[in-house]
Amino acid sequence: MPREPLSSSAPASASSPVDAGPSFSPLYRQIKSLLIAGLQGGEWKAGEGIPSEIELAQRYGVSQGTVRKAIDELAAENLLVRRQGRGTFVATHAEQQQQYRFLRLMPDEGQEPGLGRQLLDCKRQRAPAWIAKQLQMRAGDPMVEVRRLLHGKDKPVVLDDIWLPGDLFKGLTTERLNKHRGPFYGLFETEFGVHMIRAQEKVKAVAADEESAALLHVAVGTPLLSVERLSFTYGDKPVELRRGLYNTSTHFYRNDLN
Amino acid sequence: MPREPLSSSAPASASSPVDAGPSFSPLYRQIKSLLIAGLQGGEWKAGEGIPSEIELAQRYGVSQGTVRKAIDELAAENLLVRRQGRGTFVATHAEQQQQYRFLRLMPDEGQEPGLGRQLLDCKRQRAPAWIAKQLQMRAGDPMVEVRRLLHGKDKPVVLDDIWLPGDLFKGLTTERLNKHRGPFYGLFETEFGVHMIRAQEKVKAVAADEESAALLHVAVGTPLLSVERLSFTYGDKPVELRRGLYNTSTHFYRNDLN
DNA sequence: GAGTGGTCTAGACCACCAC
DNA sequence: TGGTGGTCTAGACCACTCA
């Protein structure tokens, strides 16, 4: 089968005496990179279908099995979703009952959290150094700051502070946030084309200060879970920093280890 | 290729008018189940190699590709480890620098935790109801209780209480634990044949009581991370309950979301 | 019935490791 | 040099979805 510019394996370049990191990559990984580039470049948008495996195989000049393996990995990483008989689709947060892709909070009794949202504040600021650093911006760069509560049955459970790069979220206003129903990540996708694909969290136990105690209806000094989440889009680019304070008197943070 | 008792797909039984949950399983999943059975039954022990893909393919009467896909899944679940050119091996905790397979604690500065162990206590008890329930035992059944500290550079960081089913850990004594170097999970594997393959954690923020405060060298009321971990062996059987109190003043609990 | 992903096979060749 | 896992191919057939 004819193949084009894909380097079939390690480059057959002039002899490399000390080939430290040959970084040879198999065909299916090169296909995977091409697919990621397509996602990143907006060739296929969130929720849409990508071409069939056969079509991609023809396009890239490889066998269907090779495309399949590339897609397998992307599906395992939750970037793509396969649906038998229908096709392969770009994963999205902006859909149906998905509800809180990254939130690990569970009620002590019962199943789903089913939390209500309450927007407290949304303003544009200049990024302080510690935030700018994590978002790979410069201190003083424009930044959007959002504060909100998530309510359980009778008490507030989560106080979230969210920081976003100002240039990526230009038209983000209180009104826009209030009009939107569903998780923020859905809004970020459909309105701003920012797609979170991965996040890392740092969890600590802290004591409630006066402000957070008042908002969460607990006594000052109450132990709270502090969850600092940095979210990334394609290319490991950080695009959101979030600091949540969780009241864990009736909920817990769930984690599965493999 | 001749094949034996493996039902090649959905059973061709008499017509099933309302085939609610046919639970048809592809060949490679049946192979996977056979491999798990082999692991569970002790046919291949932790750290040992399993037969080559070609040999397994012959044994089960399927193609190498089918065995490969079964092994792929088991490797993804960390039950098996592939090593190119050498073979496929049963994953083990009892090896080298693995160090704390499930511990998610990281220092604020630096890389590895590098914590020192200090055994405080090890005694046999009768299981109280709330522990028995989670370990799927009956209240009053024999149980081993272990308490220990993990030390950081200058302060204790983790206070662990560990509860184990008494019948599975018959000869577990303070002396045996003290003689052992390396993580508990390694000891459990080599000495008791109990292999943890999965765990789930429930994390909360709590206030230090008098006892834990003294042991962790903090003031009473200091917010601590409470990490309750239930660990499972093959067949989703729970075999360890652990409650850790983490001092998160210089460390944090790290989690990656995908 | 046409098109999609899902499974299974058989065979080729490569990369890595141990002897 | 022989054996192992790793990649790639080509083709067959199955299961699912939708028009």
Side-chain angles (χ1 to χ4, degrees):
Chain A
M1 204 157 198
R3 191 175 307 144
E4 293 143 44
L6 303 177
S7 66
S8 165
S9 73
S13 60
S15 68
S16 42
V18 188
D19 210 342
S23 73
F24 117 105
S25 94
L27 247 190
Y28 75 88
R29 281 204 188 278
Q30 301 179 44
I31 304 298
K32 186 182 171 188
S33 295
L34 291 173
L35 292 174
I36 291 178
L39 293 170
Q40 185 167 6
E43 183 168 352
W44 313 295
K45 301 231 163 49
E48 294 178 4
I50 70 171
S52 75
E53 294 177 351
I54 293 177
E55 195 181 328
L56 288 170
Q58 289 167 346
R59 177 188 303 192
Y60 297 130
V62 300
S63 80
Q64 187 185 355
T66 300
V67 170
R68 166 165 288 273
K69 187 148 187 182
I71 293 179
D72 277 344
E73 289 203 356
L74 292 171
E77 295 167 21
N78 295 313
L79 295 194
L80 295 178
V81 178
R82 322 186 80 134
R83 283 179 228 167
Q84 186 175 122
R86 301 194 44 204
T88 302
F89 299 81
V90 182
T92 176
H93 303 272
E95 220 162 61
Q96 335 158 12
Q97 334 311 4
Q98 265 262 120
Q99 203 82 329
Y100 304 122
R101 169 115 163 340
F102 288 144
L103 185 63
R104 306 296 274 249
L105 202 65
M106 299 285 294
D108 288 340
E109 314 291 343
Q111 294 284 8
E112 287 305 307
L115 303 169
R117 287 174 272 278
Q118 178 192 357
L119 184 61
L120 297 179
D121 197 13
C122 171
K123 59 191 176 205
R124 306 189 82 80
Q125 305 259 208
R126 304 214 155 269
W130 74 277
I131 292 179
K133 184 183 174 191
Q134 301 204 60
L135 291 177
Q136 291 178 9
M137 308 159 51
R138 276 182 300 272
D141 280 356
M143 172 195 81
V144 182
E145 177 174 333
V146 179
R147 168 167 276 203
R148 64 134 177 217
L149 282 174
L150 295 181
H151 290 267
K153 264 181 76 165
D154 28 68
K155 264 176 96 170
V157 179
V158 174
L159 170 61
D160 267 333
D161 280 297
I162 303 172
W163 298 284
L164 303 161
D167 53 350
L168 284 181
F169 295 86
K170 279 210 194 311
L172 187 59
T173 60
T174 308
E175 197 199 2
R176 193 97 161 253
L177 282 171
N178 267 325
K179 243 190 320 194
H180 177 74
R181 52 188 64 262
F184 282 177
Y185 288 163
L187 177 77
F188 295 170
E189 247 176 42
T190 55
E191 302 288 315
F192 302 96
V194 177
H195 192 159
M196 270 63 162
I197 59 175
R198 185 174 78 77
Q200 56 183 230
E201 293 190 330
K202 299 181 177 182
V203 181
K204 291 194 171 218
V206 302
D209 61 16
E210 282 198 20
E211 188 180 21
S212 47
L215 288 166
L216 288 171
H217 301 181
V218 298
V220 171
T222 302
L224 300 174
L225 218 57
S226 160
V227 180
E228 196 177 294
R229 179 196 300 168
L230 190 58
S231 299
F232 300 84
T233 187
Y234 301 106
D236 274 338
K237 186 186 176 199
V239 285
E240 184 205 48
L241 179 63
R242 194 182 276 227
R243 206 280 297 261
L245 292 176
Y246 300 0
N247 179 353
T248 56
S249 63
T250 58
H251 291 68
F252 63 91
Y253 179 100
R254 179 191 169 121
N255 197 17
D256 294 302
L257 313 176
N258 297 303
Chain B
M1 209 158 196
R3 194 177 305 143
E4 293 142 45
L6 303 177
S7 65
S8 165
S9 74
S13 61
S15 69
S16 42
V18 189
D19 209 341
S23 73
F24 118 103
S25 91
L27 247 189
Y28 75 86
R29 279 202 190 279
Q30 301 179 44
I31 304 299
K32 185 182 172 188
S33 295
L34 291 173
L35 292 174
I36 292 179
L39 293 169
Q40 185 166 8
E43 184 170 350
W44 314 295
K45 302 231 163 49
E48 293 178 6
I50 69 172
S52 75
E53 296 177 351
I54 294 176
E55 195 180 328
L56 289 170
Q58 289 168 346
R59 176 189 303 192
Y60 297 130
V62 299
S63 80
Q64 188 186 355
T66 300
V67 170
R68 167 167 286 273
K69 187 150 186 181
I71 294 180
D72 277 344
E73 289 203 356
L74 291 170
E77 295 168 20
N78 294 314
L79 295 194
L80 295 177
V81 178
R82 297 173 163 288
R83 281 181 229 167
Q84 185 173 125
R86 299 192 47 203
T88 302
F89 300 80
V90 182
T92 177
H93 303 270
E95 219 161 61
Q96 336 158 15
Q97 337 307 6
Q98 266 264 119
Q99 203 84 328
Y100 305 121
R101 170 112 157 351
F102 288 145
L103 185 63
R104 307 296 276 247
L105 204 65
M106 300 284 293
D108 289 338
E109 315 291 342
Q111 294 284 7
E112 287 304 307
L115 302 169
R117 288 174 273 278
Q118 178 192 359
L119 185 62
L120 297 179
D121 196 12
C122 171
K123 58 191 174 206
R124 307 189 82 80
Q125 306 260 201
R126 303 212 158 270
W130 74 276
I131 291 178
K133 185 183 173 191
Q134 302 204 60
L135 291 177
Q136 291 178 9
M137 309 160 49
R138 278 183 299 272
D141 280 356
M143 173 196 78
V144 183
E145 177 175 331
V146 180
R147 167 167 276 203
R148 65 135 176 214
L149 282 174
L150 296 181
H151 290 267
K153 265 182 78 165
D154 28 65
K155 266 177 96 170
V157 178
V158 174
L159 170 61
D160 267 332
D161 280 297
I162 303 172
W163 299 284
L164 304 161
D167 54 350
L168 283 181
F169 295 86
K170 277 206 194 316
L172 186 59
T173 60
T174 307
E175 198 199 0
R176 194 99 160 253
L177 281 171
N178 267 325
K179 241 191 319 195
H180 175 76
R181 56 187 62 262
F184 282 177
Y185 288 162
L187 177 77
F188 295 169
E189 246 176 43
T190 55
E191 302 288 316
F192 302 95
V194 177
H195 192 159
M196 272 62 161
I197 60 175
R198 186 175 77 77
Q200 55 182 231
E201 292 190 330
K202 298 181 179 183
V203 181
K204 290 193 174 222
V206 302
D209 62 14
E210 282 200 20
E211 189 181 20
S212 47
L215 288 167
L216 286 171
H217 300 179
V218 297
V220 171
T222 301
L224 299 174
L225 217 58
S226 161
V227 180
E228 197 178 294
R229 179 196 302 169
L230 189 58
S231 299
F232 300 84
T233 187
Y234 300 106
D236 275 336
K237 187 186 174 196
V239 285
E240 183 205 49
L241 180 62
R242 193 181 275 226
R243 207 280 298 263
L245 292 175
Y246 300 1
N247 178 352
T248 55
S249 63
T250 58
H251 291 67
F252 63 92
Y253 180 101
R254 179 191 168 121
N255 197 16
D256 293 302
L257 313 176
N258 296 303

